[in-house]
Amino acid sequence: MEANNKNTKTFLQISVHLTGYDEMDLLGTGMLESYYDVVIHENNLHLVSEFLTTSEKILGDLPNINDKIRQQLIDDVKFNSLTSNIIMMWYMGTWNGNVVSPQSYIQGLVWKAADTHPPGAKQPGYGSWENPPITIHPPVAVKPAAKAETLTTV
Amino acid sequence: MENTEYDVIIVGSGIAGCVMAKTLTQAGKKVLLLEAGLSAGINLDKNGNFYNYVDYLNTYYKANAKVPNSPYPNIKDAPSPNVLDIQATPSVDKGYYVQEGELPFASDFLRGPGGTTLHWLGSTPRMLPNDFQMKTNYNVAVDWPITYNELVPYYEMAELEIGVAGDASVQPNANEYTKGYEFPMKKIPQSYLDQKFMALVDKVNKGEHPVQIDKKKVTIGLTSTPQGRNAVPNEKYPYIDVMWNAEQQKLVMTKHMYWSGKDRAFKELDKKEKYQYLPVGAVWDPNTGQRCEGNASCVPICPVQAKYNALKSLAKADESKLTIKTQSVASKVLHNGEKTQITGVVYKTYAFGDDAIEYKEVIATAKIYVLAANAIENAKILLASEAANSSKQVGCNLMDHLCLLTWGLLPEKGYPFRGPGSTTNISSFRDTDTRKDHSAWICPVDNWGWGWPKFSPGSDVQDAVKEKKFGKELRNHLSDVLPRQLLLHYECEQLPNKDNRVSIKDEYRDALGNHRPVIKYNVSDYEIKAFAAAKAINDQLFKAAGIKDFTKYGEKDENGKFKNPDIVTPPRSKEIYNFWGAGHIVGTHRMGKDADKSVVDKNLCTWDHNNLYLVGCGNMPTLGTSNPTLTMLALTFKAAEAILKKI
C-alpha cells in the first residue's frame, strides 16, 4: 500500500512535467488512480518500475528537469513509447488510441489547452460561444479560512 | 397475415415517418408504424427513454472515432452504413454498402428509432426559388413539378414542427417569404469564431485585394444559419400547431387551437391566455433542453435534446390510434403488377439479446402505404418488390452535396470547438449565373476546428508528441494552434444522373436476407468545375485575410492508399481535389410531372400504385444548396395532406 502510494505520487509528479499542467489540474481530473492502473496493466511491470525509478531521480534535479526528461524518457528508446502514451492519456484519455473510459474522454487536458470543453460534456451554457471563453487564471494564494463555525440547529 | 385493418402503414420512424404518424393519428386515422431498429430506442416511457439515451451518450464518450453513427447500435438484422467503412472501390466486403462505382458514396444514415435526426446537425435553410427550376433557368437537370411558392405553406409547417431558430429577414430571398414571416425562435447566436471570420471577410471585401472571378470583384456575403435547435422563443411567432381541417380539406396552421395529448383532441386556447411559442424539450423531460447548452456535439448526439429529433414529433402522436412495431424490418410491398394497388407490406421481425435468433415474416395490410425508410432504403424496398418502377427511375439519380473542405489557421484566436457545429454560412454563391456551367454551393463556417478532415484535436496532440514536444512547450503549442483553427466546407450541388444509382443484387444480403444496397457513384465535370471555382475563391480569400492555408488533398496512408478515396485527379481535373459526403442522401425516387420520367407525382403518390406514397429525400428531383431535411419535411406535410384527402 505504502509503495503503491509512493509510486502513484511519482507518477503524478512526473506527469506534471510531461503535460505542463500542475498537480491541482491533474488531480482535478479525478483520473490519477485510473491512469496509474492503466500504466501498470498495459505494460511490463519491470519496465514501469524502471520508469518510476528513473522518474524519481529526474524529479530530484528540478533545475534541469526538462533536459533530463528529454534525454532519459523521451529520447530513450526504452521509455519513449511509454512516455508518449502517458502524455496522450492525460491529454486525450486514450491508451494506444483506445478511450480508457467515458470519464477519461471527458477529462482530457486537450480541451483545457484549447480553451474549451469536451464535446458532449461540461457544456458552458446557452450563447456562451458568442463570446471568447472565460479563462481561469491560476489560483492566487488565499489565507486559510478562519476556524469554521459550528452549525447548530435549534 | 395480421387481422387488424389499418388506415395507413408507415415504414420507418425517422423524421418523415414520425411526422406522418403524428399528423395522421391526430386527424383520427389508425396507423401502424414499422421500425427496423431496436425497441429500446423508441421507449415512450420517460424513464426507459432517458436510460436508453444515456447509454447512447456513454457509447459516444467511449468511442475511439466519434463519427456520426458512433453512439448508436448497429444491428446486423438492419445494418446502417458507417463512414469508417468507406474505402476505394470496388468495395464489397466492408460495411453495409456494396460499392461498384468509380468513387465510393461516402454518406451515412441511421436505421433506428428517430432515424438520422438523432445525429443530424440541424441546419434548416430553405431551398431558393430558382432551385426548383434548374432546367428552365440554367438548362441543366430537371424542373420540379412544383414551385417554391407552392411549397411555402408547407415550409412554414416544417419550421414549426422542427422548431426553427433563425432570423428570416436576413435569409437569401427573404422577400419570397410570407410578408412579415418570423421563425418560432430567435436566431442562435453566431459564434465568436464567426464574428472574427466575418470581420476578416469584411476587410477583404472592402480592401485593396478583394476576391475576384474573371478579374471582376465579388463580394463574399455571410448569413446566420436557421437551425432546428432551441433558442429564445420569438414572441411575435403566432402559430401553435398543424391541424387537419376536414371542411377545407387541408392542413392548416392554428393560432387558437392546440393539440391536447391528454384529451387526444384539438382544443381551443383559453381566450385569456396569451400564447407564446414554447420550445420542445427532451422526450424524457420537457424542462430539459429548453435551450441549446453549447455541448458542441450536435453531430453525433445532443445530450440534452435541445436539437430537434423525430422522436419529439412521435411523442405528440395520438397513442390510441398508433401501433408501433419495432425490430420489424420491411422488405417488400405486395401488388398484382403494374398500375395495381398495393395489397400488403411484408416485414421480418427479429429477437435481440441473449443470442436468441428468432425470425418471423409477417404481412400487414392497410388502405394506404407510406415508405419513409430513407432514400436508399425506400429504393431498395421498391426494387425488391418490383414496384413503382415503370419509369425505370427507382434507385437512379442518387445525389449528395460534395463537400470540398478547406482549412487554415486564423491570424488571431477564434476559439473553435464551441457552440453548435455551424452558425453562419457563405450564402452569396448559392444561386448565380455560373450554375449554367458548374454547381452552386453554400459554404458553412465550421465551429469545430479541423475535426472533420484531420480528427483534430487528437491528431494535433499526436503530431506534437511525435515531434517530441512535452510539458509546457506542448501545452503552449496546443493553446496557440487549436484556438486558431478554421474550417470551411463548400457544399457543391450534385446534379441528377441516372448512372449514380442504388440497385440490388441477390448475392449481397444482410443477416435477415434483405438486400444490401449496391451503389454506383461518380462525380461529373459540372461538379469538378465547381471544386476549381470554389477553391480559387477560397485561396484568394485565405491569402487576403491572412489565414495560413493547411488544406491538403490526395494525402496517402502508410499503405500508399489515399486517406480519402473520394478524389479527382488530372486529367479529369486540373488539380487534385478531395471531397467529403454531406450525409444529404437524395433523389432515388424523384417526383415529377411525367409518369415516364419520375416515380411519384407532385403529391408524393407513386404513379404506378395509387395507394403507395413515398416520403423522404428520395423525392427531391434536384438538391439545391440547402440541407435537405427541411424541404423533405415540407414535402411530407404535403403528402400527409394528400393522404388525408384520399381517406
Side-chain angles (χ1 to χ4, degrees):
Chain A
M1 201 62 194
E2 191 68 5
N4 200 7
N5 279 343
K6 190 179 145 232
N7 286 347
T8 316
K9 210 173 163 195
T10 307
F11 174 65
L12 173 65
Q13 286 171 347
I14 197 69
S15 291
V16 166
H17 297 280
L18 291 177
T19 61
Y21 281 88
D22 63 28
E23 266 191 39
M24 282 306 286
D25 289 316
L26 299 190
L27 287 172
T29 65
M31 299 308 295
L32 175 66
E33 280 79 13
S34 302
Y35 287 169
Y36 179 73
D37 283 352
V38 171
V39 171
I40 295 291
H41 288 118
E42 295 288 331
N43 295 282
N44 180 312
L45 268 184
H46 186 69
L47 179 77
V48 177
S49 155
E50 268 189 82
F51 174 83
L52 290 170
T53 315
T54 310
S55 295
E56 223 179 329
K57 274 187 205 143
I58 291 172
L59 287 161
D61 185 9
L62 278 181
N64 301 309
I65 189 143
N66 283 340
D67 291 341
K68 290 272 164 75
I69 287 178
R70 187 170 298 283
Q71 288 156 15
Q72 296 180 39
L73 299 181
I74 306 274
D75 286 340
D76 187 284
V77 273
K78 191 163 55 178
F79 294 132
N80 170 270
S81 88
L82 175 60
T83 311
S84 303
N85 281 343
I86 290 171
I87 298 174
M88 284 303 289
M89 185 157 60
W90 282 111
Y91 269 89
M92 296 305 301
T94 57
W95 187 267
N96 274 335
N98 294 311
V99 176
V100 171
S101 67
Q103 262 310 303
S104 73
Y105 159 70
I106 293 172
Q107 298 299 337
L109 294 175
V110 70
W111 310 112
K112 218 183 248 267
D115 268 317
T116 183
H117 62 98
K122 297 185 179 178
Q123 66 270 40
Y126 182 71
S128 53
W129 55 88
E130 193 178 14
N131 299 304
I134 299 166
T135 308
I136 309 287
H137 295 287
V140 283
V142 239
K143 271 199 276 180
K147 194 182 159 200
E149 283 174 48
T150 320
L151 286 176
T152 46
T153 44
V154 277
Chain B
M1 181 88 76
E2 287 196 344
N3 291 322
T4 325
E5 177 69 20
Y6 299 101
D7 291 313
V8 181
I9 294 173
I10 302 169
V11 175
S13 72
I15 181 168
C18 285
V19 174
M20 182 64 79
K22 185 204 94 161
T23 310
L24 297 182
T25 57
Q26 287 187 354
K29 303 303 169 196
K30 218 171 159 201
V31 170
L32 169 65
L33 178 63
L34 297 174
E35 167 52 49
L38 298 181
S39 310
I42 214 158
N43 206 329
L44 294 177
D45 155 67
K46 290 190 182 345
N47 270 329
N49 196 295
F50 174 70
Y51 287 118
N52 181 64
Y53 205 74
V54 168
D55 195 42
Y56 289 164
L57 191 60
N58 264 314
T59 307
Y60 161 70
Y61 290 154
K62 194 77 177 42
N64 296 331
K66 292 179 166 43
V67 292
N69 275 344
S70 60
Y72 310 106
N74 191 16
I75 315 296
K76 71 177 183 346
D77 299 308
S80 296
N82 190 321
V83 292
L84 295 172
D85 293 330
I86 303 304
Q87 59 184 4
T89 55
S91 165
V92 298
D93 54 346
K94 205 174 171 197
Y96 180 46
Y97 294 145
V98 176
Q99 305 249 19
E100 294 186 340
E102 188 74 24
L103 294 171
F105 184 73
S107 279
D108 67 357
F109 57 96
L110 179 61
R111 293 173 83 192
T116 312
T117 56
L118 292 189
H119 82 215
W120 77 318
L121 176 56
S123 300
T124 55
R126 290 187 189 181
M127 284 176 66
L128 305 177
N130 282 346
D131 294 341
F132 294 82
Q133 281 150 324
M134 291 294 285
K135 185 73 186 169
T136 303
N137 292 323
Y138 302 109
N139 199 30
V140 293
V142 288
D143 288 352
W144 286 47
I146 54 169
T147 62
Y148 168 81
N149 284 333
E150 286 171 80
L151 205 55
V152 165
Y154 305 101
Y155 265 137
E156 294 180 1
M157 291 176 202
E159 281 155 354
L160 168 58
E161 186 66 44
I162 288 175
V164 169
D167 180 351
S169 70
V170 301
Q171 296 309 312
N173 295 63
N175 56 339
E176 314 260 1
Y177 283 52
T178 304
K179 198 161 181 272
Y181 182 75
E182 305 258 349
F183 288 125
M185 287 175 280
K186 292 181 179 170
K187 79 166 186 185
I188 290 277
Q190 288 168 277
S191 69
Y192 182 75
L193 178 97
D194 291 341
Q195 297 166 47
K196 284 269 161 193
F197 181 68
M198 286 190 287
L200 289 172
V201 171
D202 192 49
K203 241 170 130 180
V204 172
N205 281 340
K206 291 174 182 157
E208 282 176 25
H209 302 287
V211 172
Q212 297 185 339
I213 302 177
D214 297 332
K215 296 189 178 151
K216 270 190 228 130
K217 183 194 159 173
V218 285
T219 302
I220 294 180
L222 291 125
T223 311
S224 74
T225 306
Q227 43 202 291
R229 57 176 53 76
N230 289 335
V232 178
N234 182 349
E235 68 281 358
K236 291 187 200 144
Y237 186 74
Y239 300 113
I240 305 175
D241 264 317
V242 176
M243 186 180 87
W244 169 245
N245 185 318
E247 251 168 62
Q248 295 178 31
Q249 288 287 291
K250 63 180 203 176
L251 289 173
V252 293
M253 294 179 79
T254 62
K255 288 185 179 174
H256 304 289
M257 304 285 280
Y258 70 97
W259 174 257
S260 163
K262 197 175 67 189
D263 303 311
R264 291 180 182 140
F266 280 95
K267 296 281 210 183
E268 187 93 31
L269 201 67
D270 189 332
K271 290 225 162 55
K272 282 171 276 177
E273 259 182 278
K274 193 186 172 298
Y275 168 72
Q276 189 185 296
Y277 177 85
L278 196 65
V280 182
V283 176
W284 64 83
D285 171 22
N287 296 318
T288 295
Q290 280 286 310
R291 297 288 184 278
C292 169
E293 297 178 5
N295 266 291
S297 62
C298 326
V299 183
I301 184 166
C302 174
V304 297
Q305 290 194 350
K307 179 188 74 176
Y308 171 85
N309 70 66
L311 299 173
K312 294 188 182 189
S313 292
L314 190 64
K316 291 187 221 156
D318 181 344
E319 276 183 72
S320 69
K321 300 279 193 311
L322 178 64
T323 306
I324 302 174
K325 296 202 172 175
T326 48
Q327 301 177 195
S328 300
V329 192
S331 51
K332 259 184 201 179
V333 288
L334 301 172
H335 59 92
N336 298 314
E338 267 182 33
K339 311 285 175 193
T340 61
Q341 291 227 319
I342 299 299
T343 56
V345 56
V346 182
Y347 64 94
K348 295 174 186 173
T349 64
Y350 60 91
F352 195 75
D354 300 334
D355 291 329
I357 298 171
E358 188 193 330
Y359 298 131
K360 261 200 312 207
E361 197 168 88
V362 187
I363 297 171
T365 59
K367 297 187 186 108
I368 304 261
Y369 300 84
V370 179
L371 298 187
N374 151 289
I376 287 176
E377 296 302 314
N378 275 1
K380 250 181 56 183
I381 294 170
L382 292 175
L383 290 169
S385 319
E386 296 179 23
N389 200 16
S390 62
S391 66
K392 304 277 178 274
Q393 292 292 322
V394 171
C396 297
N397 308 306
L398 174 68
M399 294 175 268
D400 191 2
H401 281 123
L402 312 170
C403 299
L404 186 85
L405 273 54
T406 64
W407 56 100
L409 284 185
L410 290 163
E412 281 175 55
K413 290 182 179 181
Y415 298 106
F417 302 102
R418 300 186 312 141
S422 178
T423 36
T424 297
N425 66 80
I426 299 177
S427 52
S428 46
F429 301 94
R430 289 183 60 189
D431 184 31
T432 66
D433 255 358
T434 55
R435 292 178 99 173
K436 288 185 205 121
D437 304 316
H438 65 69
S439 314
W441 64 78
I442 190 170
C443 178
V445 181
D446 292 273
N447 282 331
W448 299 340
W450 299 352
W452 190 359
K454 301 296 286 180
F455 299 103
S456 292
S459 58
D460 303 271
V461 184
Q462 181 101 56
D463 290 348
V465 170
K466 265 191 202 150
E467 286 164 19
K468 301 190 173 178
K469 290 192 172 72
F470 67 94
K472 285 273 189 305
E473 189 196 3
L474 172 66
R475 178 180 169 177
N476 290 340
H477 166 74
L478 295 171
S479 293
D480 171 49
V481 168
L482 294 172
R484 290 195 292 127
Q485 289 188 348
L486 172 74
L487 175 69
L488 302 177
H489 69 277
Y490 295 81
E491 293 190 18
C492 304
E493 175 181 24
Q494 184 165 33
L495 292 186
N497 178 337
K498 70 173 174 27
D499 296 327
N500 286 339
R501 66 188 299 178
V502 178
S503 61
I504 52 171
K505 287 187 179 175
D506 284 346
E507 63 262 43
Y508 300 122
R509 293 178 187 265
D510 66 20
L512 262 191
N514 288 318
H515 294 94
R516 287 165 61 200
V518 177
I519 296 182
K520 279 199 175 151
Y521 189 66
N522 202 350
V523 293
S524 74
D525 289 348
Y526 183 83
E527 291 120 23
I528 294 172
K529 275 189 218 163
F531 296 161
K535 189 65 169 39
I537 288 174
N538 182 83
D539 291 352
Q540 293 177 61
L541 176 65
F542 272 24
K543 195 172 168 206
I547 297 162
K548 195 173 172 203
D549 196 1
F550 281 82
T551 310
K552 211 170 169 195
Y553 305 133
E555 279 193 280
K556 292 184 177 171
D557 64 17
E558 58 274 17
N559 302 318
K561 287 187 178 157
F562 288 120
K563 279 186 184 170
N564 176 355
D566 271 321
I567 189 161
V568 285
T569 52
R572 275 203 87 189
S573 54
K574 229 170 163 184
E575 312 268 336
I576 294 178
Y577 300 104
N578 271 129
F579 67 91
W580 283 257
H584 302 162
I585 308 176
V586 167
T588 51
H589 47 75
R590 69 181 179 191
M591 65 196 295
K593 61 180 195 311
D594 301 312
D596 60 338
K597 293 191 189 91
S598 57
V599 181
V600 296
D601 64 17
K602 66 178 188 177
N603 289 318
L604 299 318
C605 186
T606 54
W607 290 107
D608 294 0
H609 314 278
N610 69 7
N611 66 339
L612 175 62
Y613 286 75
L614 307 179
V615 290
C617 291
N619 289 320
M620 295 169 66
T622 59
L623 182 47
T625 56
S626 305
N627 312 55
T629 301
L630 181 82
T631 302
M632 175 260 263
L633 186 58
L635 291 174
T636 302
F637 276 114
K638 195 169 191 311
E641 188 175 75
I643 290 168
L644 286 167
K645 264 189 207 171
K646 200 173 266 184
I647 48 171

